Amino acid sequence: MQWSKLKAKVKSFIGSELADRIDFHLTSYRKSHDGADKVWILVDRQKIFDIKHYDYVFAEQDLYWNSNINGQHVKEILINSEIYNPQNFGNAMHEFLNLPIKDALQSVNPLIKAFAIIDKRIGKRTLANLKISDSDHNLVRLFYNLRITK
């Protein structure tokens, strides 16, 4: 799905109290590499989260070359360190759109869970029953705080 359609579809699920406050952006550079280079999220026109292709590539290479960690563990370490590539973001958007909302809310992928938290299908009681801690992903905590303090 084209980025603008994917973004519009995800935004259509954001509750009305946050829909005008949250925006997603993506950029690519023609002479850089194939695919997206940067993805970022704005809340009230301030950048609160960003993903850069080369930050991911360099962190991934550093782990491969300077440790005895295999491929799957490298990806887990990067995700736990909140380092993603732009394709992770697009894949999370796609997966979010294809999951039942309750499953999205329980996802181990913090990007999917963050999208679910701002979803208008999640009611106040469900939101109140969520256990969000300091160990949760920054985006999950931020979106949760936006929803409970609206």
Side-chain angles (χ1 to χ4, degrees):
M1 185 181 298
Q2 182 184 18
W3 168 255
S4 59
K5 290 179 182 179
L6 182 61
K7 173 185 165 179
K9 185 72 172 167
V10 170
K11 281 193 62 103
S12 74
F13 284 100
I14 298 175
S16 59
E17 71 279 355
L18 295 177
D20 292 335
R21 297 180 61 196
I22 297 174
D23 204 5
F24 308 107
H25 295 273
L26 172 134
T27 191
S28 297
Y29 298 104
R30 187 175 349 156
K31 295 185 180 191
S32 178
H33 60 86
D34 293 339
D37 189 59
K38 294 179 188 176
V39 174
W40 66 99
I41 299 174
L42 301 177
V43 172
D44 299 328
R45 299 183 183 198
Q46 292 186 4
K47 188 187 303 182
I48 54 110
F49 182 75
D50 68 340
I51 298 170
K52 297 176 183 155
H53 170 77
Y54 286 111
D55 288 350
Y56 180 85
V57 168
F58 296 145
E60 183 181 43
Q61 286 177 348
D62 189 48
L63 284 171
Y64 276 127
W65 301 70
N66 298 321
S67 65
N68 292 329
I69 301 171
N70 69 27
Q72 185 57 35
H73 292 307
V74 166
K75 292 185 186 321
E76 290 171 13
I77 290 169
L78 291 171
I79 287 171
N80 290 335
S81 301
E82 299 187 14
I83 301 172
Y84 299 91
N85 67 26
Q87 287 72 30
N88 294 138
F89 193 83
N91 292 343
M93 284 180 138
H94 277 288
E95 193 170 339
F96 164 72
L97 293 172
N98 292 317
L99 283 173
I101 190 59
K102 297 285 184 183
D103 292 347
L105 195 58
Q106 300 302 319
S107 177
V108 296
N109 183 325
L111 298 175
I112 295 170
K113 187 173 183 174
F115 296 140
I117 286 172
I118 58 174
D119 192 302
K120 61 187 170 191
R121 297 173 289 174
I122 296 297
K124 291 178 182 179
R125 281 182 285 175
T126 302
L127 200 59
N129 289 331
L130 278 180
K131 305 293 183 231
I132 304 296
S133 69
D134 288 341
S135 63
D136 280 302
H137 189 281
N138 285 329
L139 191 59
V140 168
R141 289 194 326 262
L142 179 78
F143 280 178
Y144 177 78
N145 289 332
L146 282 173
R147 278 293 302 271
I148 63 170
T149 60
K150 60 178 171 120

